[in-house]
Amino acid sequence: MSAENPLVLITQKLPIESNIYKNKSQQELFDILTNYIEQLIQTDFNKLISILYRIDIDENKLRKVLSKNKNTSSGKIILELMIEREKEKIILRKKYKQQNDKS
């Protein structure tokens, strides 16, 4: 999997085995990360908050999405927001790299 893969980037930012994504499909990795987030919700909410802060998840957006999707797994919702944020960062890095290459 590519280093530009949002799931890989998220995995690298979590305090779990960094090679967990090797030999895993996208769906398997998504499921592993969803379960990890759900475990944090239950056992170490402060660590989850710290991770969300580090990844730069907007707290108000998170609350709004969670309240609109009460029948969906919170772990899945949070992971989807993390993926969305990492995709935004990838786009920004490419944009600024292109601008710097032109300079």
Side-chain angles (χ1 to χ4, degrees):
M1 275 187 224
S2 164
E4 291 289 308
N5 180 324
L7 287 173
V8 172
L9 293 171
I10 292 166
T11 301
Q12 294 170 344
K13 294 177 181 176
L14 298 177
I16 57 177
E17 182 184 338
S18 61
N19 291 327
I20 198 168
Y21 60 88
K22 294 192 183 205
N23 303 318
K24 302 285 187 213
S25 70
Q26 288 286 104
Q27 186 59 52
E28 288 172 320
L29 186 53
F30 186 90
D31 293 342
I32 289 167
L33 293 174
T34 298
N35 290 334
Y36 178 75
I37 292 167
E38 288 174 354
Q39 181 182 3
L40 286 178
I41 290 169
Q42 299 298 319
T43 62
D44 197 346
F45 194 71
N46 287 332
K47 183 184 280 186
L48 176 61
I49 297 299
S50 174
I51 291 167
L52 294 174
Y53 179 78
R54 195 170 348 126
I55 294 177
D56 192 27
I57 302 299
D58 182 86
E59 184 180 343
N60 293 325
K61 182 176 184 178
L62 175 59
R63 287 181 185 174
K64 193 181 301 183
V65 173
L66 286 171
S67 69
K68 286 183 181 178
N69 296 285
K70 293 188 185 284
N71 294 328
T72 304
S73 152
S74 295
K76 180 180 178 188
I77 291 169
I78 292 169
L79 181 56
E80 288 173 347
L81 287 173
M82 293 167 91
I83 291 168
E84 179 183 313
R85 181 64 185 123
E86 288 301 324
K87 285 180 179 179
E88 291 170 356
K89 290 178 190 178
I90 291 167
I91 291 168
L92 285 173
R93 279 193 295 272
K94 286 181 180 178
K95 178 181 174 184
Y96 287 110
K97 183 179 185 306
Q98 289 173 349
Q99 287 178 354
N100 287 337
D101 289 347
K102 292 178 182 176
S103 301

